[in-house]
Amino acid sequence: MEKSWYSIFKTFFKVGTLLLGGGYVILPLLTSELVEKKKWITSEELCEYYALGASLPGIIAVNTAIFTGRKLLGTVGAFAATVGMVLPAFLAIVLLAAILSEIIANSYIQHIFWGVGIGVIVLLFLAVKEMWKKSVTDKFSMLVYGVCLLLALWGKIPLAVIIIGALFAGVFWQKIKDRRGGIK
Amino acid sequence: MLYLKLFLQFFHVGVFSFGGGYATLPFLYDIAEKYHWYSAKQLTDMLALSSITPGPVGVNVATFAGYTTSGILGALIATTSIILPSFIIVTIVSKALDKFRTNKYVKAGISALKSAGCALLSAVGIKLLFTSNLHLFGTILLIALLIMSFIKKRDPLFYLGVSAVAGLVIGSLNWIGV
């Protein structure tokens, strides 16, 4: 499919509409739409955008959309992706704002909400599996994964610090490898 | 003046919230205390609602706060201003990355970054697993969906749809006592 601003907008609008559960499932949704169906980007690229998106300030899903849109069609693409992704959220809230408290109190909605929460966990698990295949490839990346997971679960360190720490660890590891190579 | 205040406050959230989604929360509670555009109770309701409405939590709350204070224009301003910092920062970072992408240290850094990203996502999943009230039927639903995912690759919409319907059915029959 051709990458016009409109097709990008449409694709992200769909992803934005399906983005239930607060934004966590952005990765599986984008994988399904952009990597598998449209084949616009590779799974590796998407993983990179997600990781970068998580390490910069702002909303992760939005950051990931901007990175991806930029890759597809420069600034126009970034704009189309962002608007497409945010518009469903915007419209839903504007339409529902007036009856917000009634909705929350409705027991049927609560049941659906409970069920969707489980669906979100499944999607997250699938996203982790996919990302694991692309990122944890050797002993060093396994170590980075383990340390970051423990720190994130501990919850005392800001996530951005963990991610930036990993970035520096990667650079440092490359330096060590270079030095070893130099001795040989 | 109100519009300018809305813009400044949500722009501030966009610049300083690292870690996405729930990282915006402390800032949003802070705004509730300072400006009374929405109450803390409304914000909590909003969070519950944002899991069944489309879009990221941060966007949902910004839209809601803007809308309750000054209607559709307010909603538009608040939503735009929470996203604007991302737009600027991501543009700068991706330009810089394109320049240095072939550098082996940058490559090594990004590769470690991906492992860290995977770890953070795993942590979110684990935390959700322990904070959602799964009960017996929720656990069965979770395992059933996972088994289905191993058998055949499916569209994300499938899992969301099935779990929504299952939630409605299980909940309505009062099996889980919600």
Side-chain angles (χ1 to χ4, degrees):
Chain A
M1 201 177 154
E2 207 199 329
K3 287 181 252 175
S4 65
W5 71 266
Y6 183 65
S7 63
I8 293 172
F9 169 79
K10 244 180 21 189
T11 308
F12 277 86
F13 189 87
K14 183 179 173 193
V15 170
T17 309
L18 294 177
L19 197 66
L20 302 165
Y24 293 131
V25 289
I26 183 71
L27 194 61
L29 289 178
L30 285 182
T31 305
S32 160
E33 286 300 317
L34 298 181
V35 179
E36 285 158 13
K37 286 185 194 153
K38 303 239 161 51
K39 302 196 188 336
W40 280 348
I41 54 172
T42 65
S43 176
E44 278 86 357
E45 283 170 320
L46 191 57
C47 283
E48 183 188 316
Y49 298 146
Y50 176 80
L52 284 168
S55 59
L56 296 175
I59 297 157
I60 295 181
V62 173
N63 288 348
T64 312
I66 301 173
F67 267 115
T68 317
R70 260 194 73 84
K71 158 80 187 175
L72 293 175
L73 202 68
T75 308
V76 176
F79 194 72
T82 313
V83 175
M85 167 107 151
V86 170
L87 200 56
F90 182 82
L91 293 177
I93 297 304
V94 167
L95 292 175
L96 295 176
I99 47 166
L100 179 72
S101 45
E102 285 99 283
I103 296 173
I104 302 291
N106 183 300
S107 64
Y108 291 111
I109 303 258
Q110 282 180 357
H111 299 327
I112 295 179
F113 160 47
W114 175 80
V116 167
I118 294 172
V120 165
I121 296 176
V122 174
L123 288 183
L124 267 181
F125 174 79
L126 297 177
V128 167
K129 204 173 93 179
E130 199 59 35
M131 219 176 162
W132 172 279
K133 275 192 264 173
K134 306 288 178 214
S135 61
V136 183
T137 47
D138 55 10
K139 274 185 191 153
F140 174 72
S141 50
M142 181 78 129
L143 181 71
V144 172
Y145 175 86
V147 172
C148 291
L149 179 63
L150 289 176
L151 289 177
L153 285 176
W154 186 44
K156 293 272 165 68
I157 298 173
L159 299 182
V161 174
I162 298 178
I163 290 210
I164 291 166
L167 184 80
F168 281 110
V171 174
F172 190 64
W173 179 241
Q174 182 64 41
K175 289 229 180 222
I176 292 175
K177 278 203 286 194
D178 284 355
R179 195 162 295 167
R180 274 194 200 154
I183 293 164
K184 278 172 198 167
Chain B
M1 245 4 251
L2 178 63
Y3 294 137
L4 184 67
K5 267 190 199 156
L6 270 176
F7 172 79
L8 288 177
Q9 282 306 312
F10 283 98
F11 191 83
H12 176 263
V13 177
V15 174
F16 290 104
S17 60
F18 281 92
Y22 292 98
T24 53
L25 280 190
F27 293 99
L28 297 172
Y29 275 107
D30 193 47
I31 292 179
E33 270 177 28
K34 268 196 222 150
Y35 293 95
H36 309 290
W37 289 333
Y38 48 88
S39 67
K41 167 76 172 60
Q42 274 178 314
L43 182 57
T44 312
D45 283 352
M46 203 48 237
L47 284 180
L49 186 71
S50 74
S51 35
I52 45 168
T53 54
V57 183
V59 174
N60 289 156
V61 175
T63 307
F64 178 72
Y67 190 78
T68 49
T69 44
S70 45
I72 193 104
L73 186 61
L76 207 58
I77 290 171
T79 311
T80 311
S81 43
I82 204 171
I83 294 168
L84 195 60
S86 288
F87 213 86
I88 299 167
I89 295 165
V90 169
T91 304
I92 295 170
V93 170
S94 53
K95 275 197 176 142
L97 262 182
D98 288 344
K99 220 173 217 174
F100 300 108
R101 188 169 292 279
T102 46
N103 180 302
K104 69 175 168 185
Y105 295 113
V106 174
K107 267 190 196 162
I110 289 180
S111 145
L113 195 77
K114 282 191 214 168
S115 309
C118 183
L120 295 196
L121 203 62
S122 313
V124 171
I126 293 169
K127 279 182 189 163
L128 277 184
L129 201 56
F130 285 103
T131 50
S132 349
N133 286 318
L134 287 182
H135 307 275
L136 175 64
F137 286 100
T139 313
I140 294 173
L141 177 63
L142 181 71
I143 293 170
L145 286 173
L146 283 176
I147 291 173
M148 279 192 244
S149 80
F150 284 126
I151 297 170
K152 191 173 158 254
K153 216 176 163 91
R154 282 167 224 267
D155 201 273
L157 189 56
F158 170 82
Y159 301 104
L160 294 176
V162 169
S163 57
V165 172
L168 189 60
V169 172
I170 296 172
S172 304
L173 295 176
N174 217 8
W175 286 341
I176 52 167
V178 271

